[in-house]
Amino acid sequence: MGTNEDLHTGLRQVPEDRAAMLVRDAMDRTTSDLPPLPDLVGAARTQGRRRRARARSAIGGAVLTVAALGVAGAMALPADESGPQGSGQVNVAAPPPSSSPSSSPSSSGPLPPVHLEPSPGGDSMADLPPAQRAKQENFQNQAVPVLQSLLPATIGTVQRTDLSVNMYQGSKDGKTFTIIFSVRPAGPDTSAKGPDCVTAKGQVCKSATLPGGIEAMSATSPINNGNVTESRLHFRYGKSTVSLVINPHDESNTSAPVTNDQLLEVAKAPAFLDLVKAADANPVQKEQKTVPLG
């Protein structure tokens, strides 16, 4: 049996490479019965792959989140860039209002004339020469809005008629009131004196001075056996006699819905006097004829 000294002496005699091999063999024999070491590199690689996958998933989710936030932010911004920011409301442009397919007659032009049949043997504006008829219709179209604006609302809607240049009609609540607006050249034998209030039972008269010192008279008189009244306005202007008469509605026994004061206010209105002045300078009616009595 060798001593420790012999062992050390033997080791010293073995080359260094041989000694390294002996040590590795001894270690291999010592660990041969142990279970193999786990593949740390493979596990680490797998774990790294999982981390990368989670990172990619997280990045993809973050990108989607940013995109979603971008869309939401775009929707939250006002449509008008000049408006306040960060209001959190969407400004949706309202559709333009649709235009009405139809408009009222007053806004689109004068109403068509009321058709009235002439009395047997009589004539109407349709029988006039075209130029004269056009002249009378033009005057009527000028007169209608003036009468509509100056007469009380109780008259209703004013329209011209196609029977005569001096005949108009007011309609309200199923009732019609004939309106006679006449500016007729006075004959040479017609008195220039203003109208007088004729004494008659139940008649009420009132007078007033118009601009230019013109004397005008209005009157309400009972007609149709005294059941209803008509309203009249008369005065002289230049070379013409002027009259404005409102007839009652006979079928319903409704008196003319205009008072003496209201008629005198119409006569004083500049728009009404302008119509009278135009018709006096350029007549649309024939000269007034007087028939001597006796």
Side-chain angles (χ1 to χ4, degrees), residues 4 19 31 36 41 108 112 120 126 133 142 144 181 203 211 224 236 269 280:
N4 290 334
T31 59
V41 175
S108 60
R133 178 181 177 181
Q142 295 180 52
V144 166
F181 172 41
Q203 177 169 275
N224 297 349
R236 285 290 302 267
D280 179 64

Side-chain angles (χ1 to χ4, degrees), residues 29 57 59 108 142 150 176 179 208 227 232 246:
R29 288 193 299 270
S57 179
I59 292 173
S108 60
Q142 295 180 52
L150 296 178
T176 58
I179 302 169
N227 294 328
R232 303 188 309 275
I246 314 297

Side-chain angles (χ1 to χ4, degrees), residues 54-79:
R54 285 197 296 268
R56 289 171 180 172
S57 179
I59 292 173
V63 171
L64 291 176
T65 302
V66 171
L69 289 175
V71 174
M75 294 179 64
L77 289 176

Side-chain angles (χ1 to χ4, degrees), residues 72-92:
M75 294 179 64
L77 289 176
D80 184 1
E81 294 181 356
S82 63
Q85 300 295 324
S87 63
Q89 297 180 353
V90 180
N91 290 339
V92 180

Side-chain angles (χ1 to χ4, degrees), residues 208-263:
T209 301
L210 307 182
I214 299 171
E215 293 296 323
M217 184 201 70
S218 62
T220 55
S221 304
I223 60 173
N224 297 349
N225 297 323
N227 294 328
V228 291
T229 59
E230 69 174 10
S231 300
R232 303 188 309 275
L233 170 73
H234 295 280
F235 62 91
R236 285 290 302 267
Y237 185 97
K239 299 176 290 182
S240 305
T241 57
V242 181
S243 62
L244 179 62
V245 182
I246 314 297
N247 291 328
H249 184 240
D250 295 332
E251 289 79 358
S252 63
N253 286 327
T254 302
S255 295
V258 185
T259 66
N260 286 335
D261 288 334
Q262 289 172 329
L263 284 178

